[in-house]
Amino acid sequence: MSAFVVSTIHIDTIVSAAIDLELFAARTDHGTLERVCHETATAFGKMLLAENVHSVVHRYRLTGGAEAFDYAELVATYTFRYRPCISAGIAAKALDCFDYQSCETDSYEKSLAYAFTCRMAKALNKHLAGYEAAPWGIDDRIPATTH
């Protein structure tokens, strides 16, 4: 499996969608849930980007090298830029890509970034086309194939 560091625009897209979803997530090890908003956006973006960098550095054994230093600088200098009107589909795909690029460490599923992606993916479900019209329970009286 290969991995890459996503762009800061990619991170901005995820965080912007989280703001629009009024998502609550944890960004510190204290685990306290905070609303993702313009005031907390840079911190959430740095947390996500740092996990992605950690994954790539681990995957390609870059620790101590110039590339790892450059990635650390990217995280340190990251500043959030809001991207309005991100559709649920774009946000979901960006989130899936981020998750795939960030999962190379054994600790990923215990990370704040992973918890963030899970919370956001669940929040995005309600914004998918057809979600509101879909039946809550599906059985032989209510076929799942009904549009």
Side-chain angles (χ1 to χ4, degrees):
M1 195 164 43
S2 65
F4 63 86
V5 174
V6 300
S7 70
T8 56
I9 293 171
H10 193 110
I11 297 294
D12 290 343
T13 299
I14 292 169
V15 176
S16 294
I19 288 170
D20 293 346
L21 289 166
E22 299 180 356
L23 186 72
F24 280 79
R27 64 180 168 96
T28 66
D29 289 331
H30 299 297
T32 304
L33 296 181
E34 298 176 63
R35 184 171 173 211
V36 182
C37 62
H38 291 279
E39 293 76 26
T40 61
T42 293
F44 275 106
K46 282 185 178 192
M47 178 269 294
L48 294 170
L49 189 55
E51 189 65 37
N52 179 218
V53 164
H54 178 62
S55 176
V56 171
V57 168
H58 174 79
R59 170 73 175 92
Y60 296 109
R61 297 176 178 93
L62 302 174
T63 302
E67 197 170 2
F69 177 80
D70 291 344
Y71 288 145
E73 185 71 18
L74 178 68
V75 173
T77 60
Y78 170 80
T79 302
F80 172 74
R81 289 183 182 85
Y82 182 69
R83 299 176 55 81
C85 306
I86 305 297
S87 72
I90 296 289
K93 190 78 170 239
L95 195 63
D96 280 349
C97 175
F98 169 83
D99 183 57
Y100 188 84
Q101 303 311 323
S102 301
C103 70
E104 295 293 334
T105 64
D106 291 337
S107 60
Y108 177 63
E109 289 185 1
K110 296 176 183 140
S111 73
L112 295 169
Y114 180 75
F116 180 100
T117 62
C118 291
R119 291 181 72 82
M120 186 164 168
K122 186 170 178 131
L124 279 168
N125 284 344
K126 295 177 182 166
H127 296 274
L128 296 175
Y131 181 89
E132 287 300 321
W136 184 250
I138 298 172
D139 59 28
D140 60 354
R141 295 171 290 142
I142 305 170
T145 56
T146 303
H147 30 176

